[in-house]
């Protein structure tokens, strides 16, 4: 059997490509080395019947109308606006930093203009914003940086803010108003029956065949196909020819609490300066599920393990560029997704990137 396309990885990148190509009449084989679809966005019920995200909390948010409308073909949605508190010295403060954060932390009663003036007085102006340290110091100054960002970043990445590209900390805005939502995107929804159900629907097209627990390293010379869409780590595809690209890993410690209706007040609580984990997420906030118990996950950053985050810093970007050049010289393979493009992409950005390449491929 010859396929029009072999798609490596059943996460967002691979699944969107598969669905688009199948809808354009192509015969597609999707493989994943894991025993499930969905990639890192996979969700499932734990042994106590609570819907959890085994690979850490996934909250969907986008301002891309096209992306939202595309996914709406495969799921209904549940309105959910994520909120996060940071735990500091026994107290909880909204993060992103907002008016409430500043007033509570410093015992002030500033209005919005007052907060703007306060931030203006503490921020350290920078001509060049190259690193995450530049981003944070130039927006909130050193005290707020040390309280909310430096420790968290060290824990999450094993690196100082000064050693990470600006884009990492720039994910977190600073606000002078009372908006305590983590994201301000136009569309903030969770798939009503979960991510896996949405993926099942996308992969349910009759032109798509899915084979799980199959590694590309084994099938690469076996499957007959016109084209390959590869969504795994790009350095692995090229057998680490230029050395390993650094990815950050995590260890997820899941826990179920029997007869606890609610463990914490918001979906996620960040621990910038205490504990070895960065954050705790309680899934029922995200999913709206009713259950007599509750399930939580703690995230422990790791240097080794499954690749979860590309590490945005200039030397890594330089190494990625070399792999990217090899990719450009491999026209029968399309590289797309967070690991293949080595970009700190959110889910919606992966969907956007996959829609774009799939459109080109379908022609
Ligand atoms: P993946 O989901 O990683 O899929 C790649 C797939 O390829 C994997 O299933 C892998 O098994 C498979 N694969 C790799 N190599 C091979 C091989 N050799 N053979 C066969 N299969 C292979 N984004 C948000 O928008 N909101 C969030 O709240 C959010 N939270 C996150 C929390 C955590 C802890 C993490 C790690 C990420 C989070 N993300 C979030 C980002 C989101 O997970 C990614 O943007 C998205 O899932 C990436 O999709 P992908 O298809 O590119 O990659
Ligand atoms: N960050 C931080 N303190 C926080 C939240 C975020 O220092 O309380 C920094 C940290 O470097 C983190 C980055 O901002 O890795 C991006 O945070 P985000 O919550 O977007 O990370 P993700 O959900 O992708 O792990």
């Amino acid at each position: 059997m010859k396929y029009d396309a072999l798609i490596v990885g059943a996460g967002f990148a691979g699944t969107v490509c598969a669905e688009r190509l199948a809808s354009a009449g192509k015969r597609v084989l999707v493989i994943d080395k894991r025993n499930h679809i969905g990639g890192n966005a996979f969700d499932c019920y734990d042994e106590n019947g609570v819907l959890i995200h085994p690979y850490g909390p996934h909250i969907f948010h986008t301002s891309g109308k096209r992306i939202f409308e595309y996914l709406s073909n495969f799921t209904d949605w549940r309105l959910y606006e994520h909120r996060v508190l940071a735990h500091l010295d026994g107290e909880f403060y909204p993060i992103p930093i907002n008016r409430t954060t500043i007033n509570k932390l410093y015992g002030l009663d500033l209005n919005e203009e007052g907060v703007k003036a306060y931030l203006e007085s503490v921020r350290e102006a920078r001509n060049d914003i190259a690193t995450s340290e530049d981003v944070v110091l130039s927006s909130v100054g050193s005290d707020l940086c040390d309280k909310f960002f430096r420790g968290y970043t060290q824990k999450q990445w094993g690196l100082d803010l000064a050693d990470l590209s600006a884009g990492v900390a720039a994910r977190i805005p600073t606000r002078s108003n009372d908006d305590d939502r983590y994201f301000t995107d136009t569309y903030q929804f969770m798939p009503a029956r979960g991510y896996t159900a949405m993926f099942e629907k996308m992969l349910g097209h009759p032109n798509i065949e899915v084979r799980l627990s199959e590694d590309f390293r084994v099938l690469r010379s076996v499957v007959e196909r016109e084209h390959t869409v590869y969504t795994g780590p790009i350095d692995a595809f090229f057998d680490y020819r230029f050395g390993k690209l650094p990815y950050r890993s995590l260890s997820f410690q899941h826990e179920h609490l029997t007869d606890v209706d609610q463990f914490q007040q918001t979906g996620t609580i960040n621990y910038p300066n205490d504990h070895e984990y960065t954050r705790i997420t309680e899934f029922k906030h995200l999913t709206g599920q009713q259950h007599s118990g509750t399930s939580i996950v703690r995230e422990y950053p790791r240097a080794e393990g499954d690749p979860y985050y590309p590490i945005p810093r200039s030397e890594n970007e330089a190494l990625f560029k070399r792999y990217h050049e090899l990719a450009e010289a491999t026209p029968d393979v399309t590289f797309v997704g967070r690991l293949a493009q080595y970009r700190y992409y959110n889910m919606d950005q992966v969907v956007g990137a996959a829609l774009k390449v799939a459109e080109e491929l379908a022609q």
Side-chain angles (χ1 to χ4, degrees), residues 17-31:
C17 286
E19 190 285 325
R20 286 291 76 203
L21 292 178
S23 290
K26 312 281 184 197
R27 291 271 325 152
V28 180
L29 172 63
V30 179
I31 61 165

Side-chain angles (χ1 to χ4, degrees), residues 268-293:
T268 297
I269 297 196
N270 285 357
Y271 292 85
N273 303 313
D274 42 5
H275 303 294
E276 279 177 41
Y277 45 84
T278 48
R279 57 189 180 189
I280 302 182
T281 296
E282 182 175 17
F283 292 105
K284 277 166 53 178
H285 287 281
L286 280 53
T287 59
Q289 188 182 357
Q290 302 292 317
H291 194 289
S292 58

Side-chain angles (χ1 to χ4, degrees), residues 70-81:
Y70 170 71
L71 292 176
S72 301
N73 292 316
F74 311 100
T75 188
D76 294 330
W77 301 98
R78 163 182 188 262
L79 181 70
Y80 173 69
E81 294 181 320

